[in-house]
């Protein structure tokens, strides 16, 4: 497992899991948001695709982000595609909890510095509304794209909650696929 792509809705722990994998496996980690959002504004799509493709041409990498439009240059080049497919109520709870921490000044990140009450909860494009809309709209498309990626020979791991993440991390700690327990869950299609 040298090339790993992770994706999922906000507040599912993509960054936490990606950083853990990077430390555990010794592979470089890239957050696609860090590529896309520059001080001068978001990169144009062709440049974003070019930079992502450059990263995934390396021998080992861990890339995280919700950019299925980069599937051909990220997902299809992966050994393993990890889909953090948590239930919507858990996602909303985590978004509220994280937003309240950020608004209270308990988290020092670029996102926390830009966050307002309106952006978090009350505007039409608030984090909560956006999470609900994207969950409902993107999930069926993700299932189709994940199945296509699996059809190319990429191993797909679909983690449906924190318990699945903990189990999968234990499998990763144990080593290569040959030594995994028979009960290891692999999902390739369906919402």
């Amino acid at each position: 497992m040298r090339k790993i792509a992770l994706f999922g809705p906000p507040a599912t722990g993509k960054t936490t899991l990606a950083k853990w994998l990077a430390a555990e496996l010794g592979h470089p980690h890239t957050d696609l948001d860090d590529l896309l959002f520059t001080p001068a504004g978001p990169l144009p799509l062709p440049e974003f695709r070019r930079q992502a493709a450059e990263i995934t041409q390396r021998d080992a990498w861990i890339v995280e982000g919700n950019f299925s439009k980069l599937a051909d240059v990220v997902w299809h080049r992966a050994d393993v595609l990890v889909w953090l497919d948590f239930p919507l109520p858990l996602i909303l709870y985590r978004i509220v909890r994280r937003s309240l921490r950020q608004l209270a000044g308990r988290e020092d990140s670029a996102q926390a510095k830009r966050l307002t009450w309106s952006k978090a909860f009350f505007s039409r494009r608030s984090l909560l509304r956006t999470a609900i809309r994207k969950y409902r709209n993107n999930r069926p498309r993700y299932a189709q794209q994940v199945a296509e990626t699996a059809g190319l020979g990429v191993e797909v791991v679909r983690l449906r909650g924190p318990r699945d993440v903990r189990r999968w991390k234990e499998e990763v700690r144990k080593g290569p696929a040959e030594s995994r327990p028979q009960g290891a869950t692999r999902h390739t299609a369906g919402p």
Side-chain angles (χ1 to χ4, degrees), residues 2-3 10 33-34 45 53 58 70 72 75 83 85 88 98 107 116 121 125 135 146 150 160 170 183:
R2 299 186 54 75
K3 301 173 183 180
D33 282 346
D34 292 342
L45 182 58
R58 299 176 188 152
L70 301 180
D72 60 322
W75 295 10
W83 181 7
D85 186 25
L88 184 59
R98 180 172 66 189
E107 198 174 296
T116 65
F121 304 114
R125 295 178 51 91
Y135 186 88
V146 164
R160 295 179 182 261
E170 282 303 314

Side-chain angles (χ1 to χ4, degrees), residues 2 4 29 54 74 77 90 99 104 120 123 145 154 161 163-164:
R2 299 186 54 75
I4 305 167
H29 162 242
E54 189 175 294
V74 177
R77 294 179 179 179
L90 177 58
S99 296
S123 73
Q145 286 183 294
V154 176
R163 187 176 306 137
D164 285 354

Side-chain angles (χ1 to χ4, degrees), residues 2-191:
R2 299 186 54 75
K3 301 173 183 180
I4 305 167
L6 293 96
F7 81 101
T12 54
K14 290 182 299 294
T15 301
T16 302
L17 182 56
K19 286 180 178 179
W20 179 86
L21 285 165
E24 187 73 18
L25 302 173
H27 303 334
H29 162 242
T30 301
D31 182 338
L32 290 173
D33 282 346
D34 292 342
L35 282 185
L36 177 61
F37 299 110
T38 70
L43 289 176
L45 182 58
E47 179 60 17
F48 184 37
R49 289 178 57 78
R50 187 194 68 71
Q51 288 188 26
E54 189 175 294
I55 289 165
T56 61
Q57 288 175 351
R58 299 176 188 152
D59 289 337
W61 46 264
I62 297 166
V63 172
E64 61 152 307
N66 271 358
F67 297 99
S68 61
K69 61 186 160 200
L70 301 180
D72 60 322
V73 295
V74 177
W75 295 10
H76 298 174
R77 294 179 179 179
D79 299 326
V80 177
L81 174 64
V82 178
W83 181 7
L84 296 165
D85 186 25
F86 291 14
L88 184 59
L90 177 58
I91 292 167
L92 296 178
Y93 166 76
R94 285 175 158 204
I95 288 172
V96 168
R97 187 180 67 189
R98 180 172 66 189
S99 296
L100 290 174
R101 261 193 338 264
Q102 290 174 339
L103 289 165
R106 289 193 216 136
E107 198 174 296
D108 188 31
S109 66
Q111 180 181 349
K113 291 174 185 171
R114 293 188 311 266
L115 193 63
T116 65
W117 285 93
S118 181
K119 286 180 184 176
F121 304 114
F122 303 117
S123 73
R124 230 181 120 162
R125 295 178 51 91
S126 72
L127 294 174
L128 282 179
R129 286 185 184 197
T130 299
I132 293 167
R133 185 182 73 252
K134 286 187 172 188
Y135 186 88
R136 290 182 177 153
N137 295 340
N138 293 348
R139 202 157 174 256
R141 182 173 46 83
Y142 285 158
Q144 180 182 351
Q145 286 183 294
V146 164
E148 291 169 6
T149 301
L152 296 171
V154 176
E155 178 183 2
V156 174
V157 178
R158 188 172 183 181
L159 304 173
R160 295 179 182 261
R163 187 176 306 137
D164 285 354
V165 172
R166 285 190 298 275
R167 284 185 199 135
W168 188 69
K169 285 170 72 174
E170 282 303 314
E171 290 179 19
V172 170
R173 276 190 194 108
K174 289 177 186 174
E178 301 82 52
S179 64
R180 287 188 191 139
Q182 291 293 357
T185 305
R186 298 289 175 261
H187 302 278
T188 57

